[in-house]
Amino acid sequence: MTNLKDLSQDIPGHDLKLLGSAPYVYHCHHFNLFHDQTVEDALGQEEGFKIRSQAARRAAWHLISDAVRAKGAATPVERLQLAASIFSWMGQGSLELLADANGGSARGDHLHYSFAWREKYGSKVRRHFPIDAFAAGFAAAATEVAFDLTPGMLSPGEKACFACRQPGCEFEIVPASESDPAEPVDSETLKRHVRTPGTGIEEHRITQITQGLNEFLLGVEGDHRGLVQGFGIFITRHLSGYYDQTAYDTIHFIEKQAPQATTAVESLFGESGHVCVFNTFGNLLLSPEWEGLVGPVQGEVEEIVTSCAAIARSLGFGHWTVEELIPGERLVMHSTSNYEFPFYLETYGKSEKPRCYFFANAARAIMQLAHRVDWPSRPELTEDLYLNLFKKGLKWDIEETCCCSKGDDFCEVVVTKRK
Amino acid sequence: MSPPDPLVSLPRPEPEFRHLSGLCRDSGCCLDLNWRCELAPGSDRAGFQESLLADGYELRCNHSALRVLRHADGHELAWVLTSGRLQIRVGIDVEPEEREAAARDIHHRLVRSLEETAAEDRQGFALERGRYPRAAPIRSQSGREA
């Protein structure tokens, strides 16, 4: 397994993480499944798979190309091995690439999406359509890079999927009808679009916690299956370009083809922020790692909100600050960098409306966690509790009053108590 | 500000063992994967760590306040030195309906290991004093010596 730690870095002051020059973030399987399900719900399974595998191929192509240069991987075999190592480092599972310049096949084991889908839904729902679009796109990109092919010359498909109760995951990689070159949204792009980082309430505490979490996360390594467990949560180091492209392409498609459904689809991508904050932030706060690194959670509103800002920064979500907090009434958060607006500005240009769906809804979820969870009782963050908190008892309204994707100097979300 | 609106809480662990509390579910991202118990104050922490390493655990995190150890069979332990909290993380490959039994099995092994460490320590104290290096006293959040 290739050591990739030397390729991992931050953009100082902006709380964005890079592998080589490719931006990545930490997300757990609850978020990943919800995000991809939203794409599927909006576009259908077949088109959803196509959009997701294409986004994966684009983002992975730049990542793998970058790593190949940095590591001096010269031969196709070396490059394919490096790509498989990156895939496992990301917590995506194990991928065996069996391809030549005309394509070929790939086999996956413990793939994050199918394995997590079986874990979460397998006993309740039977799935008939393959789910591992990310692995498929990644396999195509790896083969293209290994054999110096033009990006997009290969097209991937999943022939067998563990989520569909097949024994393992199998992919075929075939020549595509046309190439798909795309400019990378990389570290230079991010630096061009992020704004001057600000400071907010409890900045010292947030910075200190972020630093401790960053140091801890640097030491977190995957296991032999290519799964990464940190804070008792199965996490991925995932390419933010994948989330951005799939979300924005889906929303744009709906805006054009079915404008009456736009709000519903935007709400679902926003809800992924609830899913992430509840599962990842919540479980992180309850973890032994948090207790050891920061101390046991007391449950004060200010403590939870500022802790969540630190968690967001350490997961590579950008420089989130707490501008105003009145417990029980109001929260104002700013972000001068995050993983949403730089991609939007670079790929689609200035927007007429706010586009940081994740950031805005995560702020609402933070207020919900801060006010409605009895932290000292050490609750289990179950699906039932999620439904209670976010489907039956959501007490907060949000408004994204400023957004960098509209040309503002920072993103601002105002969370207020629902009357 | 209105008081918090508690929704779910967990029962405290039971029954108690001499060196390790009983087992209860702990929060986690997957069903029945994480389980919680507490190391009794005054337990021989250095000896316990040594016995875990001898039992096939590999140290994954050696922070001053925290240890994370992974066993060759896929499960993990996360151990908060300041409070004695020990989280057992059953391997993700274990089927959900078998996870509680797997956690109890790991817990029993930990209890036995602690008992043996304590017995060896008592014997060693009498016969070859100082076999296990003693951990420095650790203070809890409240400042009380654990």
Side-chain angles (χ1 to χ4, degrees):
Chain A
M1 175 83 68
T2 312
N3 180 13
L4 298 167
K5 271 187 190 165
D6 54 340
L7 293 183
S8 185
Q9 54 182 320
D10 292 344
I11 300 184
H14 294 288
D15 300 295
L16 297 169
K17 295 186 185 299
L18 304 165
L19 186 68
S21 67
Y24 74 88
V25 292
Y26 287 87
H27 267 307
C28 80
H29 72 275
H30 294 286
F31 173 89
N32 287 334
L33 293 177
F34 191 92
H35 177 96
D36 277 27
Q37 183 68 49
T38 301
V39 177
E40 258 189 18
D41 289 347
L43 304 177
Q45 289 183 317
E46 227 163 281
E47 187 63 19
F49 192 93
K50 192 174 149 198
I51 290 276
R52 290 186 291 129
S53 59
Q54 184 193 50
R57 197 197 49 69
R58 282 186 184 175
W61 194 93
H62 293 294
L63 166 66
I64 299 164
S65 301
D66 226 21
V68 159
R69 274 193 301 275
K71 292 286 182 188
T75 67
V77 170
E78 286 173 349
R79 292 177 180 186
L80 291 174
Q81 283 173 349
L82 177 61
S85 286
I86 292 171
F87 191 79
S88 292
W89 180 86
M90 293 171 74
Q92 295 285 355
S94 301
L95 196 60
E96 188 185 5
L97 296 154
L98 310 153
D100 58 27
N102 298 312
S105 63
R107 276 200 296 263
D109 197 20
H110 287 94
L111 296 188
H112 173 77
Y113 283 91
S114 49
F115 194 71
W117 193 92
R118 278 275 289 267
E119 167 70 30
K120 186 165 181 173
Y121 301 116
S123 61
K124 304 171 201 156
V125 190
R126 180 129 200 183
R127 189 179 172 94
H128 299 285
F129 200 87
I131 198 170
D132 299 292
F134 181 81
F138 189 98
T143 310
E144 288 168 0
V145 173
F147 295 96
D148 290 319
L149 304 176
T150 306
M153 287 300 286
L154 297 174
S155 173
E158 188 170 13
K159 308 256 304 169
C161 179
F162 184 68
C164 303
R165 300 196 186 177
Q166 285 158 319
C169 299
E170 290 176 20
F171 303 90
E172 64 173 359
I173 304 160
V174 297
S177 50
E178 56 186 29
S179 65
D180 176 37
E183 287 301 309
V185 175
D186 58 10
S187 54
E188 291 310 309
T189 316
L190 295 179
K191 286 173 191 165
R192 210 164 45 243
H193 291 299
V194 294
R195 310 300 206 260
T196 308
T199 56
I201 295 167
E202 296 272 8
E203 190 60 31
H204 181 66
R205 176 175 195 270
I206 294 171
T207 306
Q208 276 203 323
I209 295 174
T210 305
Q211 198 179 336
L213 295 176
N214 278 337
E215 283 166 12
F216 178 80
L217 281 167
L218 263 182
V220 171
E221 289 176 1
D223 61 21
H224 65 282
R225 300 163 296 195
L227 300 176
V228 177
Q229 194 172 15
F231 304 98
I233 307 162
F234 282 91
I235 48 175
T236 50
R237 298 176 174 110
H238 214 316
L239 296 167
S240 51
Y242 172 77
Y243 299 124
D244 290 326
Q245 196 191 331
T246 47
Y248 293 134
D249 280 2
T250 300
I251 291 167
H252 285 164
F253 178 86
I254 295 296
E255 282 171 345
K256 281 184 193 144
Q257 303 298 323
Q260 70 283 4
T262 303
T263 307
V265 174
E266 287 177 323
S267 299
L268 284 171
F269 280 114
E271 193 180 331
S272 68
H274 302 171
V275 172
C276 169
V277 167
F278 177 80
N279 288 291
T280 305
F281 290 39
N283 277 309
L284 207 151
L285 287 167
L286 291 165
S287 70
E289 285 89 339
W290 183 272
E291 192 176 321
L293 299 172
V294 184
V297 174
Q298 306 299 319
E300 296 296 324
V301 170
E302 294 86 346
E303 174 206 10
I304 300 298
V305 171
T306 53
S307 295
C308 286
I311 291 170
R313 291 185 189 184
S314 69
L315 299 179
F317 294 172
H319 192 72
W320 295 15
T321 52
V322 181
E323 297 298 312
E324 185 187 344
L325 175 60
I326 306 171
E329 287 182 34
R330 181 180 163 91
L331 166 69
V332 180
M333 290 190 87
H334 282 188
S335 163
T336 49
S337 58
N338 64 42
Y339 73 83
E340 297 177 288
F341 74 80
F343 187 97
Y344 196 92
L345 284 169
E346 185 67 17
T347 311
Y348 311 100
K350 200 186 279 189
S351 171
E352 289 177 359
K353 61 180 181 180
R355 293 289 183 177
C356 296
Y357 304 105
F358 177 82
F359 168 61
N361 283 275
R364 167 157 54 192
I366 288 170
M367 280 299 257
Q368 190 76 331
L369 283 198
H371 289 83
R372 302 233 24 236
V373 173
D374 178 22
W375 294 97
S377 74
R378 305 194 310 247
E380 256 196 285
L381 302 183
T382 59
E383 192 66 18
D384 284 347
L385 181 55
Y386 177 81
L387 294 174
N388 262 317
L389 286 175
F390 290 96
K391 295 291 186 190
K392 296 178 188 163
L394 200 52
K395 293 180 175 175
W396 306 94
D397 290 318
I398 49 168
E399 191 182 358
E400 201 180 347
T401 47
C402 301
C403 183
C404 296
S405 64
K406 285 167 51 195
D408 294 321
D409 288 336
F410 50 83
C411 299
E412 179 180 82
V413 58
V414 179
V415 188
T416 47
K417 181 90 180 278
R418 193 168 282 173
K419 301 293 179 200
Chain B
M1 181 192 150
S2 55
D5 175 12
L7 287 164
V8 173
S9 62
L10 289 173
R12 292 284 166 183
E14 57 180 348
E16 299 294 326
F17 297 89
R18 190 170 158 215
H19 298 284
L20 195 64
S21 74
L23 202 57
C24 67
R25 278 185 182 80
D26 211 353
S27 194
C29 68
C30 300
L31 183 69
D32 286 350
L33 217 55
N34 293 348
W35 295 78
R36 177 181 180 127
C37 51
E38 323 275 342
L39 207 61
S43 298
D44 178 1
R45 291 164 192 219
F48 181 49
Q49 181 174 314
E50 200 171 295
S51 70
L52 291 174
L53 296 175
D55 284 346
Y57 286 90
E58 182 195 347
L59 199 54
R60 309 285 293 186
C61 166
N62 196 15
H63 188 272
S64 58
L66 182 76
R67 299 283 185 271
V68 180
L69 303 107
R70 185 176 294 162
H71 195 269
D73 75 7
H75 76 265
E76 271 194 2
L77 300 178
W79 175 16
V80 185
L81 300 180
T82 43
S83 64
R85 175 184 176 189
L86 198 62
Q87 186 178 71
I88 296 171
R89 295 167 178 166
V90 175
I92 187 79
D93 282 326
V94 178
E95 293 295 328
E97 59 274 16
E98 293 166 12
R99 288 176 185 166
E100 180 169 354
R104 295 203 178 283
D105 181 52
I106 296 161
H107 181 255
H108 280 134
R109 280 188 271 151
L110 294 176
V111 168
R112 206 168 52 227
S113 179
L114 277 161
E115 296 290 349
E116 284 169 8
T117 302
E120 282 180 26
D121 202 26
R122 281 193 301 274
Q123 198 178 27
F125 189 76
L127 298 175
E128 43 174 300
R129 204 167 171 166
R131 179 180 164 194
Y132 294 111
R134 280 257 166 222
I138 293 169
R139 291 189 183 279
S140 67
Q141 291 286 317
S142 63
R144 197 179 58 196
E145 197 170 283

